[in-house]
Amino acid sequence: MTDSKLIRNFSIIAHIDHGKSTLADRILEITETVSRREMLDQFLDDMELERERGITIKAHSVRVLYNSKSDGRQYIFNLIDTPGHVDFSYEVSRSLAACEGAILVVDATQGIQAQTLANVYLAVNNKLEIIPVINKIDLKSARIDEVAMELGSVLGVKEEKILKVSAKTGYGIEEILERIVTDIPHPDGDPEGPLQALIFDSHYDSYRGIVVLIRVVNGSINKGNKIKFMVENLTSEVEEAGIFGPDMIEKELLTAGEVGYIITGIKEVGNIMVGDTITALKNPAEKSLPGYKKPKPMVYSGLFPIEGGDYENLRDALGKLSLNDSSLDFVPEVSSALGFGFRCGFLGLLHMEIVRERLEREYGSKILTSAPNVAYRITKSDNSVIEVKRPSDFPVQEKILKIEEPYVGATIITPKDYIGDVMKLANQKRGNFKDMQYISPERVEIKYAIPLSEIIVDFFNLLKSITSGFASLDYELLEYRLSDLVKLDILVAGEKVDELSIIIHKEKAYQMGREITQRLRKLIPRQNFEISIQAAIGKRVIARERVAPYRKDVTAGLYGGDITRKRKVLEKQKSGKKKMKRIGRVEIPQEAFMSFYKLDVKK
C-alpha cells in the first residue's frame, strides 16, 4: 500500500499562454517520466486542436516519481495541467477539488492578468497551498522585479518566497520540485475507512466504455470491487483500476490520496456524472463528498446537422463529448428552416467554437451553428416567471411585466495608458463602473458590471484591439437585472423567420434592424416578384429593404399601333406580379442562413 505521506497532489494554474504546459513538459523531462525520444512540446495536450491553437482545453493528469535531493526519499507527484482561458475555468475548479496545492505561474513579460487573479481566488477558496512562480525570466523583455512586487502584493507573500524560472530552458525547475515536497501538504485521508472517491473527469473509449478519472479521498479501490455512484444511485463492478504515467497503467490497488482511473464497462453516456462520489457497495460511506456544482451555461446556440440524416450521429457525438466536458448542456430542438438539431449551452464563445470543432474533427459531424444568445428571465403579466433561451420563445410584448438579463462582473487589467479607451468601450456596452485600483505603477485593474449579451459577441476582440493586445479580461456571473429589452423580428415577404429573430436592448434595435435587413438583401436570391425584408418590434416596422424582382420585357414583341397597346400589356404584367406576390412563398436557402451566421453582427 502506498504511504500517503509520500504523495503530493497539485495543479498548475495560470492565465492563458503564461507557460503552464511548458512547465509541465520540463517536470516530465527532469523526472524522466517521459524519455527525450518520446518528448513533444505540450506533451500533455494530446488533442490536435490544443497543439494547433497553443492552448490547453482539457485538464490532464499524470503521475510523476521524484527523488528528493533534501531527504533522499522518492515522492509520488500527481500533476494536473489545467486550461487558462476564462471559458474553461470550470476545468480548473474540477482539478483543484482533487488537489492539496497549486503552482501559480505568471509570465515575467506580461505580469498578473485577469485570469491569474481568478485562479488565485479559486485556489484560496479550495484552501490550497500556493507556490508562486515567475516564468520566462530568460526573455529580454522580462520585468522580473516589477512582476514579483505585483505577485507579492496580491498573494501577501515576501518576494524571496517567489520562484523565478524559465520553463523553456529548465532553469529553476528543480527548486519547484523541492518546494512541492516541502510546501504542499500530503493527503490526509483514511486508507482503512469506507471508500470515498471523487470523480473529477471522464472520457469515452469506444472499446472499453467510460473511463472515469478519480481522486481517492478515503478507503481504497481495486479490480473486482462492487461500487456505487452515490448521486446517480448506480451500482457496477470495477473491471480495471490504474494510473496515468502518462499512459494508462493498470494497478492492483488505488488507496487514499491517490489519483487514477477506473473502468467499469458502463457504456451508457448519461449514467456517470462528474462531481459524483464513488463508494463501496458492502461498506458504503454515510455521505457523498462535497463535489462542485455543475457549471451553469452562459451562452446558448443551436447546432444543426447540415445533412438531415446526420441527426442521430450528432446526438451520439454530443453525448460522448459531454462525458469529457461536463459543462456542455444540450436538448433537442426543431427549426422550420434548419430542421432537427440541438439547443446547446456553453460557458462562452471560445467554448462554443471548440465544441463545434471537436464535433467536426473527432466525430465527423458537419454542423451549422446559429447565432449565440444568453438566457433571459421574463415575468409575465400573470406573475409566472419563464427563462427564455432563444428568441422564438419570447412572449408577446403585451404579456410581459418585466424582463431581466444576466449581468457579469468584468475584471479588466490594462496598462494605464489605455484607461480612457477601455472605459469608453465598457460604457458603450452598457457597463456600470464599479472600481479601479493600481496593482503596480504601470498597470491598473478596472471593474465593471456589464450585461453578458454585450460581452459574448465582440467585446474581447475590441478590448484587445484598443489596447494593442495588452489588456486581459475575466468575468463571472453576478445577477439578473431589470432591462429594457425587445424582440426584433425579421419578416421576409411578410412572414416571420424565427431563426433570424434576436433579443436586443431597445436603444440598439434600430441600428441592428438596419444592418440585418441590408445583409439579408444581399443573401436572398431574386424572384419574379418583389420581396420585402422588414425588421419589426411587435407590429411596428423599424427598418425595410427590398429585393428587386426579375422583369421580363413583355413589350419587346409589339410594334406600331397606339401607345394603349403597350399600356394594356404592362398593366396585365403588373397585376400578375401583384397576384404572384400575394400567393408566392420565399424559400430562404440554407446557404443564406449559413452565410448570415458566419458574419459577426456588431451590437
Side-chain angles (χ1 to χ4, degrees):
M1 188 180 286
T2 307
D3 183 358
S4 64
K5 289 182 180 176
L6 297 177
I7 297 175
R8 300 291 184 271
N9 298 320
F10 65 94
S11 280
I12 303 178
I13 54 175
H15 187 81
I16 191 169
D17 202 30
H18 278 212
K20 299 176 304 302
S21 297
T22 310
L23 177 58
D25 287 349
R26 292 296 80 75
I27 290 174
L28 294 178
E29 211 171 71
I30 287 171
T31 58
E32 297 180 357
T33 304
V34 179
S35 67
R36 287 187 178 275
R37 184 174 58 83
E38 296 174 307
M39 195 66 199
L40 297 166
D41 286 342
Q42 289 178 261
F43 185 86
L44 293 179
D45 295 343
D46 51 9
M47 265 191 265
E48 182 188 347
L49 200 54
E50 292 179 308
R51 291 209 170 99
E52 262 181 38
R53 289 174 173 254
I55 61 173
T56 302
I57 294 166
K58 288 289 305 162
H60 300 276
S61 172
V62 63
R63 175 181 286 212
V64 174
L65 298 176
Y66 174 65
N67 295 308
S68 174
K69 303 288 187 293
S70 58
D71 61 11
R73 301 168 82 184
Q74 189 179 68
Y75 288 85
I76 294 170
F77 290 171
N78 289 310
L79 153 64
I80 301 173
D81 182 25
T82 59
H85 194 278
V86 58
D87 278 13
F88 301 109
S89 56
Y90 72 100
E91 286 279 349
V92 181
S93 68
R94 283 164 42 173
S95 305
L96 296 184
C99 295
E100 281 80 35
I103 299 173
L104 178 69
V105 181
V106 178
D107 189 328
T109 62
Q110 297 184 50
I112 287 182
Q113 304 281 286
Q115 193 63 25
T116 313
L117 291 177
N119 286 331
V120 167
Y121 299 145
L122 275 175
V124 170
N125 289 341
N126 278 275
K127 298 177 181 173
L128 302 189
E129 187 65 40
I130 299 173
I131 300 175
V133 172
I134 296 175
N135 189 24
K136 305 188 186 180
I137 62 168
D138 56 311
L139 298 180
K140 289 181 180 178
S141 55
R143 302 178 289 112
I144 300 168
D145 293 336
E146 188 184 328
V147 173
M149 187 182 74
E150 285 181 17
L151 200 48
S153 65
V154 166
L155 292 177
V157 297
K158 293 178 181 176
E159 287 182 32
E160 56 265 26
K161 278 275 191 183
I162 298 169
L163 300 177
K164 301 169 180 70
V165 309
S166 168
K168 188 176 181 182
T169 64
Y171 174 81
I173 306 299
E174 285 278 3
E175 198 177 344
I176 293 178
L177 296 172
E178 287 297 328
R179 285 280 292 274
I180 292 168
V181 170
T182 57
D183 289 14
I184 294 177
H186 62 78
D188 58 1
D190 178 10
E192 302 300 327
L195 172 65
Q196 282 183 307
L198 176 72
I199 301 175
F200 69 90
D201 204 354
S202 58
H203 65 264
Y204 191 84
D205 184 301
S206 52
Y207 298 104
R208 311 190 66 186
I210 298 166
V211 179
V212 182
L213 278 65
I214 59 169
R215 154 70 195 273
V216 184
V217 177
N218 292 305
S220 59
I221 188 168
N222 62 347
K223 182 177 179 179
N225 276 162
K226 296 273 197 304
I227 57 168
K228 179 182 177 183
F229 297 86
M230 295 183 78
V231 174
E232 292 292 305
N233 200 23
L234 176 76
T235 58
S236 186
E237 184 176 327
V238 178
E239 292 182 358
E240 180 180 314
I243 58 165
F244 290 98
D247 297 321
M248 289 167 69
I249 302 167
E250 188 173 356
K251 274 196 75 186
E252 284 186 15
L253 183 76
L254 290 177
T255 186
E258 290 193 279
V259 173
Y261 72 88
I262 60 166
I263 296 172
T264 62
I266 294 173
K267 294 197 174 183
E268 290 76 25
V269 168
N271 286 341
I272 290 179
M273 187 180 77
V274 171
D276 201 347
T277 300
I278 293 173
T279 191
L281 193 60
K282 277 189 178 177
N283 181 26
E286 290 182 8
K287 57 182 181 178
S288 58
L289 293 164
Y292 42 85
K293 294 176 184 173
K294 181 173 169 62
K296 184 172 171 58
M298 289 190 166
V299 178
Y300 293 88
S301 175
L303 297 186
F304 297 90
I306 290 175
E307 298 293 331
D310 288 344
Y311 175 79
E312 296 291 332
N313 294 338
L314 179 59
R315 185 181 64 189
D316 292 343
L318 280 168
K320 289 171 184 175
L321 195 60
S322 66
L323 259 184
N324 196 231
D325 183 349
S326 66
S327 65
L328 176 62
D329 196 37
F330 63 96
V331 292
E333 147 173 85
V334 183
S335 158
S336 56
L338 304 174
F340 290 92
F342 296 91
R343 171 71 29 179
C344 300
F346 306 96
L347 295 178
L349 279 197
L350 178 66
H351 185 212
M352 173 175 145
E353 194 180 328
I354 293 296
V355 166
R356 184 180 60 77
E357 285 203 37
R358 287 187 69 185
L359 286 170
E360 290 185 351
R361 291 187 187 202
E362 296 174 28
Y363 301 99
S365 301
K366 296 292 180 189
I367 52 178
L368 169 65
T369 314
S370 68
N373 300 292
V374 303
Y376 299 94
R377 193 179 291 159
I378 297 177
T379 306
K380 296 168 76 173
S381 50
D382 60 359
N383 285 321
S384 61
V385 179
I386 58 170
E387 192 175 57
V388 172
K389 297 175 183 175
R390 55 180 182 171
S392 57
D393 294 337
F394 201 85
V396 292
Q397 207 73 31
E398 294 77 28
K399 292 186 177 179
I400 296 173
L401 203 59
K402 63 178 181 179
I403 306 174
E404 295 167 293
E405 68 174 324
Y407 267 69
V408 293
T411 301
I412 301 165
I413 295 180
T414 179
K416 65 178 184 181
D417 298 343
Y418 300 106
I419 291 174
D421 291 334
V422 169
M423 294 181 79
K424 184 179 176 184
L425 172 66
N427 291 332
Q428 284 173 354
K429 297 292 183 180
R430 300 191 283 133
N432 299 324
F433 176 76
K434 290 295 178 191
D435 187 28
M436 182 171 75
Q437 53 188 3
Y438 281 83
I439 57 174
S440 78
E442 294 298 317
R443 283 150 56 75
V444 66
E445 177 190 54
I446 308 171
K447 292 191 174 182
Y448 267 88
I450 304 179
L452 178 60
S453 59
E454 299 285 357
I455 286 224
I456 62 168
V457 178
D458 59 358
F459 185 83
F460 187 67
N461 291 339
L462 291 173
L463 180 66
K464 286 289 184 185
S465 176
I466 63 173
T467 61
S468 305
F470 287 112
S472 62
L473 168 73
D474 181 67
Y475 58 87
E476 61 177 355
L477 194 63
L478 283 180
E479 60 188 353
Y480 278 78
R481 295 186 184 178
L482 279 175
S483 202
D484 192 5
L485 300 170
V486 292
K487 180 189 175 190
L488 184 66
D489 286 315
I490 303 300
L491 292 85
V492 176
E495 289 192 16
K496 281 185 189 176
V497 184
D498 283 335
E499 290 72 25
L500 299 179
S501 299
I502 54 171
I503 299 168
I504 191 168
H505 195 266
K506 201 171 184 178
E507 288 178 2
K508 300 190 175 186
Y510 175 72
Q511 178 195 346
M512 180 64 93
R514 288 294 303 272
E515 282 190 31
I516 292 177
T517 52
Q518 285 170 4
R519 290 182 182 199
L520 280 176
R521 182 171 60 84
K522 297 171 185 173
L523 295 171
I524 293 176
R526 292 172 72 185
Q527 306 285 340
N528 285 325
F529 55 92
E530 179 187 304
I531 302 169
S532 67
I533 304 167
Q534 299 166 308
I537 299 171
K539 294 178 181 177
R540 184 165 63 91
V541 175
I542 60 169
R544 185 183 187 278
E545 292 288 334
R546 65 184 285 272
V547 178
Y550 287 121
R551 184 168 182 270
K552 184 180 176 183
D553 188 359
V554 290
T555 61
L558 297 178
Y559 54 92
D562 192 66
I563 187 69
T564 54
R565 288 184 68 205
K566 284 190 178 181
R567 282 181 183 161
K568 188 177 179 182
V569 175
L570 288 170
E571 284 296 325
K572 187 177 179 183
Q573 183 192 40
K574 190 176 175 183
S575 64
K577 282 190 179 291
K578 272 187 180 176
K579 184 180 179 183
M580 197 184 293
K581 186 177 178 181
R582 193 171 66 248
I583 64 171
R585 285 178 57 84
V586 179
E587 290 292 333
I588 304 174
Q590 196 176 53
E591 291 74 27
F593 283 104
M594 292 171 75
S595 306
F596 182 79
Y597 289 137
K598 280 175 188 170
L599 295 167
D600 288 329
V601 181
K602 296 243 186 327
K603 291 199 174 183

